Amino acid sequence: MNAVNKDVQLFKNHLVQKRLKLTRQRETILEAFLKTDHITAEELYRKLSGRKQGRRLALATIYRTLNLLCEIGIGQQRHFDDNKTIYDNVLHKKHHDHLICNKCDKIIEFESPAIERLQEEMATRHGFTLHHHRLELYGHCIDWENCRDRQRAAPR
Amino acid sequence: MNAVNKDVQLFKNHLVQKRLKLTRQRETILEAFLKTDHITAEELYRKLSGRKQGRRLALATIYRTLNLLCEIGIGQQRHFDDNKTIYDNVLHKKHHDHLICNKCDKIIEFESPAIERLQEEMATRHGFTLHHHRLELYGHCIDWENCRDRQRAAPR
DNA sequence: ATATATTTTGAGAATCAGAATCAATATCAA
DNA sequence: TTGATATTGATTCTGATTCTCAAAATATAT
Ligand SMILES: [Mn+2]
Ligand SMILES: [Mn+2]
Ligand SMILES: [Zn+2]
Ligand SMILES: [Zn+2]
């Protein structure tokens, strides 16, 4: 059993636990989702709708399934400067923050224990207990070549 | 001339520069805005609409004026977990990030040169030039007493 | 002060991502 | 296979914000 199938199996187990049903569309969406790092519902929709033999998916189903994946813990919603929700495939990933290129929309994941520590310290200093945080760094690739190889659909 | 009038004067100068007109509603909105730290268009609207002698303001005008203030640099849009835009009164303020209480909606401003430095370092390490960033820490006040004195309208 | 050009306003329509409805269909366990 | 239960697609709805446009206000030039 390869890695992908193992992930699908994990998903199926979650469904059984929650007394949910495994449908063709859920499987299709899951597979496509697991192939990406960050994607919007709209992008997934375009990718899966223009399919051969009438495999039509409703956008609503994409949203429902993506939200299901978030509940299960396989995905996480992100809200970057763009006003559409980006779904982060966090399967096999630990906590991380993001660096986003305003030119080519590339998204780089990073983690900084030092920053995390300072955040905690800052919270404590103000009498807060931290639940979660959002750290996003926006800028652009210094290297144009690198910048040109776009990861995301449309440049801004 | 007190501090507030000086701020209003600054606003008027901006209007003249941009060949815009000083209206009763713009003055009303500016004054109310300058009295707060963070406020939504809706909140401002409620605060200014229920006024005596038929001083009715359209919500659209609030939005327009708030956006004008942002163009001028007196305000800044923020997008916290809540899905409505919060307008930050940044007159006389330098860059800062936020600590937000999920219980009482209190918003604390802070700045951490150490974190800022690490952010730059992180960007550089990935070949990025930083333009701006977003850092929001969510949690709750440890001290209930302090938490109870709400700054914002409705608790979540 | 008056006329004139220009901007602004209010009311409501438009937008846009995402959620809610609901009848028809699919899944699954007995 | 059956029947209870969940899911789907099509469509409508929501809520925050922007847009439209005719009427009203303001600044500027007589
Ligand atoms: Mn990520
Ligand atoms: Mn602030
Ligand atoms: Zn982090
Ligand atoms: Zn900062």
Side-chain angles (χ1 to χ4, degrees):
Chain A
M1 181 154 68
N2 63 43
V4 171
N5 281 324
K6 200 145 88 185
D7 293 341
V8 173
Q9 193 51 54
L10 181 91
F11 176 65
K12 289 182 182 175
N13 292 159
H14 274 293
L15 291 184
V16 172
Q17 273 182 228
K18 300 188 128 200
R19 248 179 240 83
L20 299 180
K21 294 170 178 174
L22 178 66
T23 64
R24 179 163 29 76
Q25 23 282 78
R26 291 221 253 235
E27 222 168 346
T28 305
I29 295 168
L30 174 72
E31 270 179 42
F33 178 71
L34 291 182
K35 279 184 194 149
T36 73
D37 253 350
H38 305 90
I39 197 165
T40 65
E42 193 62 52
E43 285 166 346
L44 244 189
Y45 180 61
R46 282 199 297 277
K47 191 168 296 191
L48 298 178
S49 275
R51 275 297 188 52
K52 54 267 169 183
Q53 349 111 321
R55 286 180 156 282
R56 209 142 286 144
L57 287 229
L59 185 52
T61 302
I62 307 264
Y63 275 110
R64 285 187 285 233
T65 305
L66 248 12
N67 288 338
L68 175 62
L69 292 176
C70 289
E71 279 168 32
I72 287 176
I74 293 174
Q76 261 178 238
Q77 293 197 179
R78 306 280 185 193
H79 299 274
F80 297 159
D81 270 1
D82 195 327
N83 71 323
K84 42 245 321 247
T85 302
I86 285 179
Y87 291 82
D88 195 340
N89 169 5
V90 296
L91 188 60
H92 309 311
K93 283 185 200 163
K94 54 290 155 233
H95 168 76
H96 60 267
D97 296 299
H98 301 86
L99 241 173
I100 299 117
C101 178
N102 288 325
K103 285 262 174 38
C104 71
D105 285 337
K106 184 175 355 204
I107 298 173
I108 292 177
E109 304 185 331
F110 72 87
E111 57 185 342
S112 166
I115 291 181
E116 303 283 322
R117 206 172 308 120
L118 286 168
Q119 286 175 170
E120 274 299 343
E121 188 190 310
M122 197 54 67
T124 304
R125 182 182 309 176
H126 287 91
F128 265 62
T129 295
L130 234 48
H131 292 159
H132 66 285
H133 64 264
R134 182 188 299 181
L135 173 59
E136 292 149 24
L137 309 182
Y138 297 88
H140 69 259
C141 310
I142 289 175
D143 166 18
W144 278 116
E145 290 318 308
N146 187 22
C147 193
R148 211 176 290 134
D149 96 90
R150 322 213 144 129
Q151 296 196 335
R152 294 180 57 65
R156 233 150 301 165
Chain B
M1 181 155 68
N2 63 42
V4 171
N5 281 322
K6 199 143 89 185
D7 293 341
V8 173
Q9 193 51 54
L10 181 91
F11 176 64
K12 290 181 182 174
N13 293 158
H14 274 292
L15 291 183
V16 172
Q17 273 181 228
K18 299 188 128 197
R19 249 180 238 82
L20 300 180
K21 295 172 178 173
L22 177 66
T23 63
R24 179 164 30 74
Q25 23 284 74
R26 293 221 253 235
E27 222 168 345
T28 304
I29 294 167
L30 174 72
E31 269 179 42
F33 177 70
L34 291 181
K35 279 183 194 149
T36 73
D37 253 350
H38 305 90
I39 196 164
T40 65
E42 193 61 52
E43 284 167 346
L44 246 189
Y45 180 60
R46 281 199 298 275
K47 192 169 294 191
L48 298 178
S49 276
R51 274 299 188 52
K52 52 271 169 181
Q53 349 110 319
R55 288 180 155 280
R56 209 141 284 142
L57 287 226
L59 185 52
T61 302
I62 307 264
Y63 275 109
R64 283 187 286 235
T65 304
L66 247 12
N67 288 337
L68 175 62
L69 293 176
C70 289
E71 279 168 31
I72 286 175
I74 293 174
Q76 262 177 236
Q77 293 195 178
R78 307 279 184 192
H79 299 275
F80 296 159
D81 270 0
D82 195 327
N83 73 322
K84 43 243 323 244
T85 302
I86 285 179
Y87 291 82
D88 194 340
N89 168 5
V90 296
L91 187 61
H92 310 312
K93 283 184 200 165
K94 54 291 156 229
H95 168 75
H96 60 268
D97 297 298
H98 302 85
L99 240 173
I100 298 117
C101 178
N102 288 326
K103 284 265 176 33
C104 72
D105 285 335
K106 184 178 350 209
I107 297 173
I108 291 178
E109 303 185 332
F110 71 88
E111 56 185 343
S112 166
I115 291 180
E116 303 284 322
R117 206 172 310 120
L118 287 169
Q119 286 174 171
E120 274 299 341
E121 189 189 309
M122 197 53 66
T124 304
R125 182 181 308 175
H126 287 91
F128 266 62
T129 294
L130 234 47
H131 292 161
H132 66 285
H133 64 263
R134 180 187 299 180
L135 173 58
E136 291 148 26
L137 309 182
Y138 297 88
H140 69 260
C141 310
I142 288 174
D143 166 18
W144 278 116
E145 290 317 309
N146 187 23
C147 192
R148 213 176 288 134
D149 93 273
R150 319 207 147 136
Q151 296 195 339
R152 294 179 57 63
R156 226 142 315 160

